[in-house]
Amino acid sequence: MTHHQSALTTLIGEVLADPDLAHSDVFRRMLQAGLQDLINAEATVKIGAAPHERTPERTTRRNGTRPKTLATPAGEVDLQIPKLREGSFFPSLLSPRRRVDKALYAVICQAWIDGVSTRKVDQLVRALGNDTGISRSTVSRICGEIDEAVQEFLHRRIDHTWFPYLFLDATYLDVRHRGRVVSQALVVATGVSGDGRREILGMALGDAETTDFWTEFLRGLRDRGLKVATDADPLGVALVTSDAHAGLKAAVKAILPGSGWQRCRVHFARNVTQKIGSARSKPVNALISTIFAQTTSEAVIAQYQAVTDSLRASFPEIAAMLEAAEPDLTAFAPLPREHWQKVWSNNPIERLNREIKRRADVVQIFPDRDSVTRLIGTVLQEQHEEWSYGERRYFSDVSMRKLVHTLNEHTEPACPELYLTA
């Protein structure tokens, strides 16, 4: 009998010994034991060896477990996900969206109870299984459980590694506030860690993207451990990528000294279109895109100058925009070539914003600000787990070592390899 069969075998023995056990709990416990067996078996295949087993095929070792609660028709089951010393593992049988669905359910029901729901929201409540309604105490319990997990996630320490790349962006959601519907700015920060993995670092909700709002948000990241680059130790935030919002730029300069700022090339292309119109901007943006087709930093700077000069006669306003934006649009150039395409625009975080919008569109109008944090915080937490425990890294170890070398060209950190542990 193998080790990973023991949980279910033990439970079956208990049931046979005591037929009077509550049937509903037996089903839940059997499901829990069966799922745990499958998780352990999948981990064994991933590792190439069972616990305490030595085999030629073993690729890594177990390193404890992390808890995972799964909602099932038989009730909630508590599972243990094995952690690995090297690499990551997340069982394929677990749906990564269950917690989001639960948060969406809670937000819709909160709107329904508060009396601010439309006919569509009422239909959604019934579609989620509540033909006869849901009690306030039930919604309160569900919301409390979700809020506790989301708050723990959003306020966790982020000093476990350094984050050379930081991406910042905002989207807007409709929220009922003080008796009227207002547009609220939802800002999100994602980062790439020293081992090349993406993480969700934080989110905040405010009335508008003011300098004060962005400053408070970034200061919160620093207070939670976001490392700032210094002359003595450059292994902090090396580059911030965002649009050219004035308040955001001012906050980055004040709170993240030592970091470069990359103006999103996609946002710049949109600014060009706004300036000269869609039809005239197509060939202009095509010409500008040749800057980003170069393969060396020297070629990028040379092509930037050539494009600017070629537009000076026919599109002087665009040439002036390019001249003013040169340090910001080319901030990526000194970094490793393998990183350019993923740091010169905000496309990665904009894809995340589309997922936020997709979930928010179901609600349409959030009943209050807490419900925004509840749902969107859960969406971000799920995405964070997918990035953290997935197989794929955003950047390879080799390219991250190139980055460390680049940043250390003029300094001598005591032990840079500490920042590259997997």
Side-chain angles (χ1 to χ4, degrees), residues 300-310 312 323 326:
V300 167
I301 301 304
Q303 183 65 10
Y304 198 102
Q305 188 60 55
V307 169
T308 303
D309 291 341
S310 68
R312 207 176 303 279
E323 286 181 335
E326 180 176 357

Side-chain angles (χ1 to χ4, degrees), residues 240-275:
V240 179
T241 302
S242 71
D243 62 18
H245 189 281
L248 192 161
K249 287 177 60 180
V252 168
K253 184 176 181 180
I255 305 300
L256 300 175
S259 67
W261 176 61
Q262 172 66 45
R263 182 172 179 176
C264 173
R265 57 169 293 197
V266 176
H267 282 88
F268 185 82
R270 293 173 186 166
N271 296 150
V272 171
T273 300
Q274 292 169 354
K275 191 75 172 178

Side-chain angles (χ1 to χ4, degrees), residues 221-366:
L221 296 182
R222 281 197 60 174
D223 289 344
R224 288 168 45 217
L226 182 65
K227 190 168 179 283
V228 174
T230 65
D231 291 339
D233 183 1
L235 300 188
V237 178
L239 189 70
V240 179
T241 302
S242 71
D243 62 18
H245 189 281
L248 192 161
K249 287 177 60 180
V252 168
K253 184 176 181 180
I255 305 300
L256 300 175
S259 67
W261 176 61
Q262 172 66 45
R263 182 172 179 176
C264 173
R265 57 169 293 197
V266 176
H267 282 88
F268 185 82
R270 293 173 186 166
N271 296 150
V272 171
T273 300
Q274 292 169 354
K275 191 75 172 178
I276 59 178
S278 179
R280 300 173 71 208
S281 69
K282 288 181 180 179
V284 173
N285 278 326
L287 182 60
I288 293 173
S289 68
T290 64
I291 296 169
F292 304 95
Q294 307 307 309
T295 57
T296 67
S297 58
E298 294 80 9
V300 167
I301 301 304
Q303 183 65 10
Y304 198 102
Q305 188 60 55
V307 169
T308 303
D309 291 341
S310 68
L311 292 172
R312 207 176 303 279
S314 52
F315 295 97
E317 65 272 53
I318 304 304
M321 287 173 59
L322 283 167
E323 286 181 335
E326 180 176 357
D328 308 325
L329 279 178
T330 61
F332 68 89
L335 303 170
R337 176 69 183 86
E338 300 94 322
H339 293 191
W340 287 5
Q341 191 171 1
K342 293 182 177 180
V343 301
W344 63 28
S345 80
N346 247 2
N347 276 356
I349 200 171
E350 288 203 342
R351 286 194 291 271
L352 180 62
N353 278 342
R354 285 196 291 272
E355 176 63 15
I356 290 172
K357 282 288 192 181
R358 187 177 73 84
R359 294 286 177 170
D361 284 347
V362 177
V363 183
Q364 292 189 331
I365 299 174
F366 285 85

Side-chain angles (χ1 to χ4, degrees), residues 99-109 128 359 362-363 375:
R99 191 163 52 208
V100 173
D101 293 337
K102 188 175 181 181
L104 178 60
Y105 178 91
V107 169
I108 292 173
C109 290
L128 287 169
R359 294 286 177 170
V362 177
V363 183
L375 177 57

Side-chain angles (χ1 to χ4, degrees), residues 186-197:
L186 177 82
V187 299
V188 177
T190 67
V192 179
S193 67
D195 66 355
R197 293 190 180 276

Side-chain angles (χ1 to χ4, degrees), residues 36-327:
Q36 189 65 61
D37 286 349
L38 289 171
I39 290 170
N40 292 341
E42 187 175 348
T44 295
V45 172
K46 166 81 172 178
I47 294 168
H52 312 297
E53 182 184 15
R54 297 180 179 274
T55 69
E57 295 79 20
R58 186 171 70 182
T59 58
T60 184
R61 298 173 183 268
R62 289 169 173 80
N63 187 29
T65 61
R66 61 186 179 89
K68 173 76 173 178
T69 299
L70 181 67
T72 75
E76 290 190 347
V77 296
D78 296 321
L79 303 171
Q80 297 296 321
I81 312 300
K83 295 191 295 185
L84 310 183
R85 290 189 182 276
E86 298 178 359
S88 60
F89 170 70
F90 191 80
S92 58
L93 62 89
L94 298 183
S95 168
R97 293 298 178 194
R98 289 185 181 274
R99 191 163 52 208
V100 173
D101 293 337
K102 188 175 181 181
L104 178 60
Y105 178 91
V107 169
I108 292 173
C109 290
Q110 185 68 54
W112 183 74
I113 283 180
D114 289 346
V116 298
S117 60
T118 62
R119 182 179 300 176
K120 180 179 179 180
V121 173
D122 203 34
Q123 291 170 348
L124 282 168
V125 173
R126 289 196 295 273
L128 287 169
N130 270 278
D131 291 317
T132 58
I134 182 171
S135 70
R136 183 179 295 273
S137 61
T138 299
V139 174
S140 178
R141 178 183 58 81
I142 293 173
C143 291
E145 292 172 357
I146 297 170
D147 290 347
E148 183 177 354
V150 167
Q151 290 302 316
E152 181 179 352
F153 169 67
L154 294 178
H155 292 91
R156 75 193 190 282
R157 296 291 301 174
I158 52 175
D159 53 2
H160 56 288
T161 184
W162 66 298
F163 291 91
Y165 299 126
L166 183 66
F167 299 85
L168 301 172
D169 202 10
T171 189
Y172 285 82
L173 303 175
D174 289 332
V175 183
R176 194 172 296 273
H177 184 57
R178 296 177 180 174
R180 59 191 182 93
V181 177
V182 297
S183 181
Q184 296 277 277
L186 177 82
V187 299
V188 177
T190 67
V192 179
S193 67
D195 66 355
R197 293 190 180 276
R198 298 174 69 191
E199 295 192 22
I200 303 290
L201 300 183
M203 64 159 276
L205 191 68
D207 295 329
E209 291 183 79
T210 63
T211 300
D212 288 345
F213 179 51
W214 275 113
T215 299
E216 182 180 359
F217 177 62
L218 293 181
R219 185 176 288 118
L221 296 182
R222 281 197 60 174
D223 289 344
R224 288 168 45 217
L226 182 65
K227 190 168 179 283
V228 174
T230 65
D231 291 339
D233 183 1
L235 300 188
V237 178
L239 189 70
V240 179
T241 302
S242 71
D243 62 18
H245 189 281
L248 192 161
K249 287 177 60 180
V252 168
K253 184 176 181 180
I255 305 300
L256 300 175
S259 67
W261 176 61
Q262 172 66 45
R263 182 172 179 176
C264 173
R265 57 169 293 197
V266 176
H267 282 88
F268 185 82
R270 293 173 186 166
N271 296 150
V272 171
T273 300
Q274 292 169 354
K275 191 75 172 178
I276 59 178
S278 179
R280 300 173 71 208
S281 69
K282 288 181 180 179
V284 173
N285 278 326
L287 182 60
I288 293 173
S289 68
T290 64
I291 296 169
F292 304 95
Q294 307 307 309
T295 57
T296 67
S297 58
E298 294 80 9
V300 167
I301 301 304
Q303 183 65 10
Y304 198 102
Q305 188 60 55
V307 169
T308 303
D309 291 341
S310 68
L311 292 172
R312 207 176 303 279
S314 52
F315 295 97
E317 65 272 53
I318 304 304
M321 287 173 59
L322 283 167
E323 286 181 335
E326 180 176 357

